Amino acid sequence: MTRLGDLERAVMDVLWDRTTGSTSGAGITVREVADALSERELAYTTVMTVLDRLAGKGMVEREREGRAWSYRPAASREAHIARLMLDALDLAGSRDAALVRFARSVTGTEAEVLRAALTDEAADRQG
């Protein structure tokens, strides 16, 4: 999975925030992303270049809408973060040791979420 630079992350955050729950699967244009990042005072061409690079990395999908491109995330924010976590585990000398260390570092509520997810996954595999 691709690690994102600061500007790439900001662009992806706009895409994730604006397209989450979209029933039509519609994306947003370069202009809409640039407008959402107006506090950064980025040139339109800078945003266009970042989106083009993200498309090249497989992070976004694009579709032609008239003369403009419409962009949407290729995967959810949660899927991206999960992939980063798995990639980090691949860097560990021992995945088991890294998982144990991680499990010991989460809050009680986070541990409950993990337990429930593991229980659901085990039930799905049995059924």
Side-chain angles (χ1 to χ4, degrees):
M1 178 61 63
T2 303
R3 290 185 57 98
L4 301 175
D6 180 55
L7 186 51
E8 291 174 324
R9 175 61 191 233
V11 168
M12 287 304 301
D13 282 340
V14 170
L15 292 174
W16 281 319
D17 292 344
R18 299 277 177 99
T19 60
T20 298
S22 172
T23 56
S24 67
I28 61 174
T29 64
V30 174
R31 173 61 51 210
E32 291 170 308
V33 174
D35 289 347
L37 298 172
S38 62
E39 74 283 351
R40 289 179 173 246
E41 298 180 2
L42 301 168
Y44 176 91
T45 54
T46 299
V47 176
M48 184 172 55
T49 298
V50 170
L51 284 163
D52 185 56
R53 287 184 181 163
L54 288 169
K57 292 177 178 182
M59 291 292 300
V60 300
E61 298 171 346
R62 64 182 172 189
E63 181 177 317
R64 189 63 107 162
E65 289 187 3
R67 293 178 48 207
W69 288 101
S70 176
Y71 295 86
R72 66 181 166 278
S76 70
R77 184 187 329 247
E78 294 77 13
H80 174 70
I81 298 301
R83 183 76 248 162
L84 288 175
M85 292 169 72
L86 289 170
D87 287 349
L89 279 175
D90 287 342
L91 298 174
S94 166
R95 284 179 70 113
D96 291 349
L99 281 170
V100 168
R101 181 82 176 222
F102 175 75
R104 289 182 177 156
S105 69
V106 299
T107 66
T109 303
E110 292 165 340
E112 288 300 320
V113 170
L114 286 172
R115 272 189 209 93
L118 292 170
T119 299
D120 289 347
E121 181 65 22
D124 287 348
R125 289 182 184 193
Q126 290 178 354

